[in-house]
Amino acid sequence: MFDQMKRVVSEIVLVGLTSSLKMQLVLFLVFSVFYVMGILGNLLIVHTVISDSHLHSPMYFLLANLSFIDIWTSSIAVPKMISDLFKDRKVISFQGCIAQMFFIHVIGGTEMVLLVAMAFDRFVAICRPLHYLTTMNFRTCILLLVAAWTTGIIHSSIQLVFVVNLPFCGPTEVDSFYCDLPRFIGLACTDTYRLELMVTANSGFISLGSFFILVISYIFILVTVWQHSSGGLSKALSTLSAHITVVVLYFGPCIFMYTWPFPTVPVDKFLAIFDVIITPFLNPVIYTFRNKEMKVAMKRIFSQVLSFRKLF
């Protein structure tokens, strides 16, 4: 009987963003530009870090991995969202919905831990400069990366292992442009109060926990620099400004969507768009324009490409 109930739902209907043809056209153009530019920008950062020996350091190793994750962040939901804009009936298979939620939370959990790792790197570089090379060696970087991906996979798996066994017998409409746990759980034909609390606690804990760790670490860094040299405070702020900006842009929507007790669909949709499209686009912009070494390395790469083309 349970398996029959579960098989009743074979696809999920997504409400999407708008039914206005003019708005669909505007959103199609805007989202397509942001998506393509975000992918190209993050690919450029990954390529620059790999190809330029001057950037073979822990900070840029972690930055390249952040860009790699951002490519996946936008690619999980955005291409389908763009292709669905002009469709009257926006659907995704039940299995596709589960897969989308799994990868969204794997990538999200991984990125949160990676941002903490990047803050740890800056803490050691600024507060323990003499120990930086021994602390942030290649082995440490790999361990931090493994820890980030392991946390993301565990975070996602813990939630979905309970969700996939829920009975779904209708309705099948989700007021969003992609599948996510809170609204997906609401479709189940059973009482999901405890499961919703578990999802909120799980996602809320990793979001708020990571955010508070980052805030405390940045405060500790700035206080340490101020105590040793008041003149070095402005330099530390300049170094950390890109990290702080990315943290606020990423964690703000996540914390609101998963911990705010009074969900509102328009706000949630806007924040979701911001998280999966705008932030992956802004990250390479922030790290490029606020980082002198990155700009110099990119100029070297473009110069090499132009020199190579002149030979032909």
PDB file of all heavy atoms in Angstrom, residues 116-145:
ATOM      1  N   VAL A 116      34.579  28.944   5.754  1.00  0.00           N
ATOM      2  CA  VAL A 116      35.216  28.891   7.076  1.00  0.00           C
ATOM      3  C   VAL A 116      36.700  28.583   6.919  1.00  0.00           C
ATOM      4  O   VAL A 116      37.553  29.176   7.599  1.00  0.00           O
ATOM      5  CB  VAL A 116      34.542  27.831   7.965  1.00  0.00           C
ATOM      6  CG1 VAL A 116      35.317  27.655   9.271  1.00  0.00           C
ATOM      7  CG2 VAL A 116      33.102  28.227   8.276  1.00  0.00           C
ATOM      8  N   ALA A 117      37.039  27.667   6.007  1.00  0.00           N
ATOM      9  CA  ALA A 117      38.442  27.329   5.748  1.00  0.00           C
ATOM     10  C   ALA A 117      39.202  28.541   5.218  1.00  0.00           C
ATOM     11  O   ALA A 117      40.364  28.768   5.586  1.00  0.00           O
ATOM     12  CB  ALA A 117      38.529  26.171   4.752  1.00  0.00           C
ATOM     13  N   MET A 118      38.559  29.326   4.361  1.00  0.00           N
ATOM     14  CA  MET A 118      39.198  30.534   3.835  1.00  0.00           C
ATOM     15  C   MET A 118      39.424  31.558   4.943  1.00  0.00           C
ATOM     16  O   MET A 118      40.441  32.263   4.945  1.00  0.00           O
ATOM     17  CB  MET A 118      38.338  31.127   2.714  1.00  0.00           C
ATOM     18  CG  MET A 118      38.257  30.240   1.470  1.00  0.00           C
ATOM     19  SD  MET A 118      37.132  30.866   0.204  1.00  0.00           S
ATOM     20  CE  MET A 118      38.075  32.262  -0.429  1.00  0.00           C
ATOM     21  N   ALA A 119      38.490  31.647   5.885  1.00  0.00           N
ATOM     22  CA  ALA A 119      38.674  32.547   7.028  1.00  0.00           C
ATOM     23  C   ALA A 119      39.819  32.066   7.908  1.00  0.00           C
ATOM     24  O   ALA A 119      40.612  32.880   8.418  1.00  0.00           O
ATOM     25  CB  ALA A 119      37.377  32.619   7.836  1.00  0.00           C
ATOM     26  N   PHE A 120      39.931  30.747   8.084  1.00  0.00           N
ATOM     27  CA  PHE A 120      41.042  30.186   8.862  1.00  0.00           C
ATOM     28  C   PHE A 120      42.383  30.503   8.199  1.00  0.00           C
ATOM     29  O   PHE A 120      43.363  30.849   8.877  1.00  0.00           O
ATOM     30  CB  PHE A 120      40.871  28.668   8.999  1.00  0.00           C
ATOM     31  CG  PHE A 120      42.016  27.981   9.684  1.00  0.00           C
ATOM     32  CD1 PHE A 120      42.218  28.136  11.049  1.00  0.00           C
ATOM     33  CD2 PHE A 120      42.907  27.184   8.963  1.00  0.00           C
ATOM     34  CE1 PHE A 120      43.287  27.510  11.688  1.00  0.00           C
ATOM     35  CE2 PHE A 120      43.968  26.558   9.594  1.00  0.00           C
ATOM     36  CZ  PHE A 120      44.155  26.726  10.956  1.00  0.00           C
ATOM     37  N   ASP A 121      42.416  30.416   6.876  1.00  0.00           N
ATOM     38  CA  ASP A 121      43.635  30.751   6.129  1.00  0.00           C
ATOM     39  C   ASP A 121      44.039  32.202   6.374  1.00  0.00           C
ATOM     40  O   ASP A 121      45.217  32.495   6.615  1.00  0.00           O
ATOM     41  CB  ASP A 121      43.394  30.513   4.637  1.00  0.00           C
ATOM     42  CG  ASP A 121      44.528  31.044   3.778  1.00  0.00           C
ATOM     43  OD1 ASP A 121      45.593  30.396   3.738  1.00  0.00           O
ATOM     44  OD2 ASP A 121      44.350  32.116   3.153  1.00  0.00           O
ATOM     45  N   ARG A 122      43.071  33.113   6.320  1.00  0.00           N
ATOM     46  CA  ARG A 122      43.380  34.530   6.553  1.00  0.00           C
ATOM     47  C   ARG A 122      43.779  34.778   8.016  1.00  0.00           C
ATOM     48  O   ARG A 122      44.624  35.634   8.296  1.00  0.00           O
ATOM     49  CB  ARG A 122      42.172  35.394   6.191  1.00  0.00           C
ATOM     50  CG  ARG A 122      41.862  35.455   4.704  1.00  0.00           C
ATOM     51  CD  ARG A 122      43.006  36.022   3.884  1.00  0.00           C
ATOM     52  NE  ARG A 122      44.021  35.010   3.567  1.00  0.00           N
ATOM     53  CZ  ARG A 122      45.287  35.259   3.259  1.00  0.00           C
ATOM     54  NH1 ARG A 122      45.741  36.491   3.290  1.00  0.00           N
ATOM     55  NH2 ARG A 122      46.120  34.287   2.966  1.00  0.00           N
ATOM     56  N   PHE A 123      43.174  34.036   8.945  1.00  0.00           N
ATOM     57  CA  PHE A 123      43.533  34.165  10.352  1.00  0.00           C
ATOM     58  C   PHE A 123      45.000  33.805  10.572  1.00  0.00           C
ATOM     59  O   PHE A 123      45.749  34.536  11.228  1.00  0.00           O
ATOM     60  CB  PHE A 123      42.645  33.260  11.206  1.00  0.00           C
ATOM     61  CG  PHE A 123      43.132  33.088  12.620  1.00  0.00           C
ATOM     62  CD1 PHE A 123      42.913  34.076  13.562  1.00  0.00           C
ATOM     63  CD2 PHE A 123      43.824  31.944  12.996  1.00  0.00           C
ATOM     64  CE1 PHE A 123      43.372  33.928  14.868  1.00  0.00           C
ATOM     65  CE2 PHE A 123      44.292  31.789  14.296  1.00  0.00           C
ATOM     66  CZ  PHE A 123      44.065  32.784  15.235  1.00  0.00           C
ATOM     67  N   VAL A 124      45.426  32.684  10.015  1.00  0.00           N
ATOM     68  CA  VAL A 124      46.814  32.251  10.174  1.00  0.00           C
ATOM     69  C   VAL A 124      47.753  33.234   9.490  1.00  0.00           C
ATOM     70  O   VAL A 124      48.811  33.592  10.029  1.00  0.00           O
ATOM     71  CB  VAL A 124      47.020  30.830   9.603  1.00  0.00           C
ATOM     72  CG1 VAL A 124      48.489  30.413   9.713  1.00  0.00           C
ATOM     73  CG2 VAL A 124      46.133  29.829  10.326  1.00  0.00           C
ATOM     74  N   ALA A 125      47.382  33.693   8.281  1.00  0.00           N
ATOM     75  CA  ALA A 125      48.245  34.606   7.522  1.00  0.00           C
ATOM     76  C   ALA A 125      48.439  35.938   8.235  1.00  0.00           C
ATOM     77  O   ALA A 125      49.536  36.508   8.225  1.00  0.00           O
ATOM     78  CB  ALA A 125      47.657  34.830   6.131  1.00  0.00           C
ATOM     79  N   ILE A 126      47.384  36.450   8.885  1.00  0.00           N
ATOM     80  CA  ILE A 126      47.442  37.770   9.513  1.00  0.00           C
ATOM     81  C   ILE A 126      47.897  37.692  10.969  1.00  0.00           C
ATOM     82  O   ILE A 126      48.712  38.511  11.422  1.00  0.00           O
ATOM     83  CB  ILE A 126      46.076  38.468   9.407  1.00  0.00           C
ATOM     84  CG1 ILE A 126      45.739  38.757   7.943  1.00  0.00           C
ATOM     85  CG2 ILE A 126      46.060  39.762  10.215  1.00  0.00           C
ATOM     86  CD1 ILE A 126      44.348  39.298   7.717  1.00  0.00           C
ATOM     87  N   CYS A 127      47.380  36.715  11.703  1.00  0.00           N
ATOM     88  CA  CYS A 127      47.661  36.640  13.149  1.00  0.00           C
ATOM     89  C   CYS A 127      48.860  35.746  13.484  1.00  0.00           C
ATOM     90  O   CYS A 127      49.460  35.906  14.545  1.00  0.00           O
ATOM     91  CB  CYS A 127      46.428  36.138  13.889  1.00  0.00           C
ATOM     92  SG  CYS A 127      44.981  37.199  13.709  1.00  0.00           S
ATOM     93  N   ARG A 128      49.195  34.793  12.630  1.00  0.00           N
ATOM     94  CA  ARG A 128      50.334  33.892  12.868  1.00  0.00           C
ATOM     95  C   ARG A 128      51.200  33.806  11.621  1.00  0.00           C
ATOM     96  O   ARG A 128      51.424  32.721  11.082  1.00  0.00           O
ATOM     97  CB  ARG A 128      49.835  32.493  13.252  1.00  0.00           C
ATOM     98  CG  ARG A 128      48.934  32.422  14.470  1.00  0.00           C
ATOM     99  CD  ARG A 128      49.739  32.602  15.759  1.00  0.00           C
ATOM    100  NE  ARG A 128      48.898  32.343  16.928  1.00  0.00           N
ATOM    101  CZ  ARG A 128      48.137  33.237  17.516  1.00  0.00           C
ATOM    102  NH1 ARG A 128      48.095  34.484  17.024  1.00  0.00           N
ATOM    103  NH2 ARG A 128      47.405  32.928  18.575  1.00  0.00           N
ATOM    104  N   PRO A 129      51.703  34.938  11.126  1.00  0.00           N
ATOM    105  CA  PRO A 129      52.430  34.937   9.843  1.00  0.00           C
ATOM    106  C   PRO A 129      53.678  34.057   9.821  1.00  0.00           C
ATOM    107  O   PRO A 129      54.013  33.473   8.785  1.00  0.00           O
ATOM    108  CB  PRO A 129      52.780  36.413   9.641  1.00  0.00           C
ATOM    109  CG  PRO A 129      52.726  37.018  11.009  1.00  0.00           C
ATOM    110  CD  PRO A 129      51.670  36.276  11.737  1.00  0.00           C
ATOM    111  N   LEU A 130      54.375  33.933  10.953  1.00  0.00           N
ATOM    112  CA  LEU A 130      55.593  33.126  11.000  1.00  0.00           C
ATOM    113  C   LEU A 130      55.298  31.632  10.898  1.00  0.00           C
ATOM    114  O   LEU A 130      56.172  30.844  10.525  1.00  0.00           O
ATOM    115  CB  LEU A 130      56.375  33.426  12.285  1.00  0.00           C
ATOM    116  CG  LEU A 130      56.869  34.869  12.450  1.00  0.00           C
ATOM    117  CD1 LEU A 130      57.599  35.033  13.782  1.00  0.00           C
ATOM    118  CD2 LEU A 130      57.793  35.263  11.299  1.00  0.00           C
ATOM    119  N   HIS A 131      54.077  31.254  11.243  1.00  0.00           N
ATOM    120  CA  HIS A 131      53.694  29.832  11.199  1.00  0.00           C
ATOM    121  C   HIS A 131      52.851  29.497   9.964  1.00  0.00           C
ATOM    122  O   HIS A 131      52.382  28.368   9.835  1.00  0.00           O
ATOM    123  CB  HIS A 131      52.898  29.469  12.460  1.00  0.00           C
ATOM    124  CG  HIS A 131      53.644  29.718  13.730  1.00  0.00           C
ATOM    125  ND1 HIS A 131      54.594  28.848  14.228  1.00  0.00           N
ATOM    126  CD2 HIS A 131      53.583  30.753  14.607  1.00  0.00           C
ATOM    127  CE1 HIS A 131      55.080  29.330  15.360  1.00  0.00           C
ATOM    128  NE2 HIS A 131      54.486  30.486  15.613  1.00  0.00           N
ATOM    129  N   TYR A 132      52.675  30.488   9.069  1.00  0.00           N
ATOM    130  CA  TYR A 132      51.743  30.291   7.962  1.00  0.00           C
ATOM    131  C   TYR A 132      52.150  29.139   7.046  1.00  0.00           C
ATOM    132  O   TYR A 132      51.333  28.271   6.722  1.00  0.00           O
ATOM    133  CB  TYR A 132      51.623  31.581   7.143  1.00  0.00           C
ATOM    134  CG  TYR A 132      50.628  31.477   6.005  1.00  0.00           C
ATOM    135  CD1 TYR A 132      49.260  31.447   6.251  1.00  0.00           C
ATOM    136  CD2 TYR A 132      51.053  31.393   4.679  1.00  0.00           C
ATOM    137  CE1 TYR A 132      48.335  31.351   5.221  1.00  0.00           C
ATOM    138  CE2 TYR A 132      50.149  31.289   3.636  1.00  0.00           C
ATOM    139  CZ  TYR A 132      48.789  31.268   3.917  1.00  0.00           C
ATOM    140  OH  TYR A 132      47.892  31.153   2.890  1.00  0.00           O
ATOM    141  N   LEU A 133      53.408  29.109   6.624  1.00  0.00           N
ATOM    142  CA  LEU A 133      53.849  28.094   5.665  1.00  0.00           C
ATOM    143  C   LEU A 133      53.806  26.687   6.251  1.00  0.00           C
ATOM    144  O   LEU A 133      53.561  25.713   5.528  1.00  0.00           O
ATOM    145  CB  LEU A 133      55.260  28.413   5.166  1.00  0.00           C
ATOM    146  CG  LEU A 133      55.389  29.691   4.316  1.00  0.00           C
ATOM    147  CD1 LEU A 133      56.843  29.926   3.941  1.00  0.00           C
ATOM    148  CD2 LEU A 133      54.518  29.595   3.065  1.00  0.00           C
ATOM    149  N   THR A 134      54.035  26.573   7.547  1.00  0.00           N
ATOM    150  CA  THR A 134      54.000  25.237   8.161  1.00  0.00           C
ATOM    151  C   THR A 134      52.562  24.805   8.478  1.00  0.00           C
ATOM    152  O   THR A 134      52.240  23.621   8.406  1.00  0.00           O
ATOM    153  CB  THR A 134      54.827  25.219   9.459  1.00  0.00           C
ATOM    154  OG1 THR A 134      54.375  26.266  10.334  1.00  0.00           O
ATOM    155  CG2 THR A 134      56.305  25.417   9.148  1.00  0.00           C
ATOM    156  N   THR A 135      51.705  25.786   8.824  1.00  0.00           N
ATOM    157  CA  THR A 135      50.316  25.447   9.161  1.00  0.00           C
ATOM    158  C   THR A 135      49.484  25.211   7.906  1.00  0.00           C
ATOM    159  O   THR A 135      48.802  24.186   7.778  1.00  0.00           O
ATOM    160  CB  THR A 135      49.676  26.570   9.996  1.00  0.00           C
ATOM    161  OG1 THR A 135      50.454  26.787  11.176  1.00  0.00           O
ATOM    162  CG2 THR A 135      48.246  26.208  10.382  1.00  0.00           C
ATOM    163  N   MET A 136      49.541  26.160   6.967  1.00  0.00           N
ATOM    164  CA  MET A 136      48.734  26.059   5.743  1.00  0.00           C
ATOM    165  C   MET A 136      49.554  25.417   4.624  1.00  0.00           C
ATOM    166  O   MET A 136      49.773  26.001   3.565  1.00  0.00           O
ATOM    167  CB  MET A 136      48.242  27.450   5.334  1.00  0.00           C
ATOM    168  CG  MET A 136      47.227  28.043   6.277  1.00  0.00           C
ATOM    169  SD  MET A 136      45.726  27.031   6.464  1.00  0.00           S
ATOM    170  CE  MET A 136      45.099  27.002   4.802  1.00  0.00           C
ATOM    171  N   ASN A 137      49.989  24.187   4.858  1.00  0.00           N
ATOM    172  CA  ASN A 137      50.717  23.465   3.812  1.00  0.00           C
ATOM    173  C   ASN A 137      49.740  22.735   2.896  1.00  0.00           C
ATOM    174  O   ASN A 137      48.524  22.791   3.078  1.00  0.00           O
ATOM    175  CB  ASN A 137      51.724  22.489   4.435  1.00  0.00           C
ATOM    176  CG  ASN A 137      51.079  21.584   5.473  1.00  0.00           C
ATOM    177  OD1 ASN A 137      49.962  21.112   5.285  1.00  0.00           O
ATOM    178  ND2 ASN A 137      51.751  21.379   6.599  1.00  0.00           N
ATOM    179  N   PHE A 138      50.279  22.012   1.909  1.00  0.00           N
ATOM    180  CA  PHE A 138      49.424  21.332   0.932  1.00  0.00           C
ATOM    181  C   PHE A 138      48.527  20.302   1.601  1.00  0.00           C
ATOM    182  O   PHE A 138      47.348  20.164   1.246  1.00  0.00           O
ATOM    183  CB  PHE A 138      50.303  20.662  -0.131  1.00  0.00           C
ATOM    184  CG  PHE A 138      49.520  19.917  -1.178  1.00  0.00           C
ATOM    185  CD1 PHE A 138      48.822  20.606  -2.161  1.00  0.00           C
ATOM    186  CD2 PHE A 138      49.472  18.523  -1.178  1.00  0.00           C
ATOM    187  CE1 PHE A 138      48.088  19.924  -3.129  1.00  0.00           C
ATOM    188  CE2 PHE A 138      48.745  17.840  -2.137  1.00  0.00           C
ATOM    189  CZ  PHE A 138      48.055  18.536  -3.118  1.00  0.00           C
ATOM    190  N   ARG A 139      49.068  19.578   2.570  1.00  0.00           N
ATOM    191  CA  ARG A 139      48.283  18.553   3.258  1.00  0.00           C
ATOM    192  C   ARG A 139      47.093  19.176   3.991  1.00  0.00           C
ATOM    193  O   ARG A 139      45.979  18.641   3.954  1.00  0.00           O
ATOM    194  CB  ARG A 139      49.180  17.801   4.249  1.00  0.00           C
ATOM    195  CG  ARG A 139      48.468  16.676   5.005  1.00  0.00           C
ATOM    196  CD  ARG A 139      49.474  15.882   5.836  1.00  0.00           C
ATOM    197  NE  ARG A 139      48.796  14.859   6.630  1.00  0.00           N
ATOM    198  CZ  ARG A 139      48.302  15.040   7.841  1.00  0.00           C
ATOM    199  NH1 ARG A 139      48.405  16.252   8.407  1.00  0.00           N
ATOM    200  NH2 ARG A 139      47.711  14.052   8.497  1.00  0.00           N
ATOM    201  N   THR A 140      47.310  20.307   4.654  1.00  0.00           N
ATOM    202  CA  THR A 140      46.234  20.996   5.365  1.00  0.00           C
ATOM    203  C   THR A 140      45.147  21.445   4.407  1.00  0.00           C
ATOM    204  O   THR A 140      43.951  21.304   4.693  1.00  0.00           O
ATOM    205  CB  THR A 140      46.782  22.215   6.122  1.00  0.00           C
ATOM    206  OG1 THR A 140      47.805  21.802   7.036  1.00  0.00           O
ATOM    207  CG2 THR A 140      45.674  22.923   6.898  1.00  0.00           C
ATOM    208  N   CYS A 141      45.551  21.974   3.265  1.00  0.00           N
ATOM    209  CA  CYS A 141      44.576  22.432   2.268  1.00  0.00           C
ATOM    210  C   CYS A 141      43.709  21.276   1.774  1.00  0.00           C
ATOM    211  O   CYS A 141      42.486  21.424   1.633  1.00  0.00           O
ATOM    212  CB  CYS A 141      45.299  23.091   1.090  1.00  0.00           C
ATOM    213  SG  CYS A 141      46.073  24.667   1.490  1.00  0.00           S
ATOM    214  N   ILE A 142      44.331  20.136   1.507  1.00  0.00           N
ATOM    215  CA  ILE A 142      43.583  18.966   1.041  1.00  0.00           C
ATOM    216  C   ILE A 142      42.627  18.479   2.131  1.00  0.00           C
ATOM    217  O   ILE A 142      41.470  18.134   1.855  1.00  0.00           O
ATOM    218  CB  ILE A 142      44.535  17.836   0.621  1.00  0.00           C
ATOM    219  CG1 ILE A 142      45.365  18.270  -0.600  1.00  0.00           C
ATOM    220  CG2 ILE A 142      43.764  16.558   0.319  1.00  0.00           C
ATOM    221  CD1 ILE A 142      44.542  18.568  -1.829  1.00  0.00           C
ATOM    222  N   LEU A 143      43.094  18.456   3.382  1.00  0.00           N
ATOM    223  CA  LEU A 143      42.242  18.027   4.498  1.00  0.00           C
ATOM    224  C   LEU A 143      41.043  18.959   4.669  1.00  0.00           C
ATOM    225  O   LEU A 143      39.920  18.495   4.920  1.00  0.00           O
ATOM    226  CB  LEU A 143      43.057  17.980   5.800  1.00  0.00           C
ATOM    227  CG  LEU A 143      44.059  16.829   5.928  1.00  0.00           C
ATOM    228  CD1 LEU A 143      44.877  16.988   7.209  1.00  0.00           C
ATOM    229  CD2 LEU A 143      43.329  15.479   5.934  1.00  0.00           C
ATOM    230  N   LEU A 144      41.270  20.264   4.525  1.00  0.00           N
ATOM    231  CA  LEU A 144      40.167  21.230   4.620  1.00  0.00           C
ATOM    232  C   LEU A 144      39.159  21.008   3.499  1.00  0.00           C
ATOM    233  O   LEU A 144      37.941  21.078   3.717  1.00  0.00           O
ATOM    234  CB  LEU A 144      40.715  22.659   4.568  1.00  0.00           C
ATOM    235  CG  LEU A 144      41.493  23.141   5.798  1.00  0.00           C
ATOM    236  CD1 LEU A 144      42.142  24.496   5.526  1.00  0.00           C
ATOM    237  CD2 LEU A 144      40.579  23.232   7.024  1.00  0.00           C
ATOM    238  N   LEU A 145      39.665  20.727   2.309  1.00  0.00           N
ATOM    239  CA  LEU A 145      38.781  20.490   1.167  1.00  0.00           C
ATOM    240  C   LEU A 145      37.966  19.204   1.353  1.00  0.00           C
ATOM    241  O   LEU A 145      36.757  19.178   1.089  1.00  0.00           O
ATOM    242  CB  LEU A 145      39.608  20.411  -0.113  1.00  0.00           C
ATOM    243  CG  LEU A 145      38.835  20.448  -1.435  1.00  0.00           C
ATOM    244  CD1 LEU A 145      38.053  21.749  -1.560  1.00  0.00           C
ATOM    245  CD2 LEU A 145      39.800  20.289  -2.613  1.00  0.00           C
TER     246      LEU A 145
END
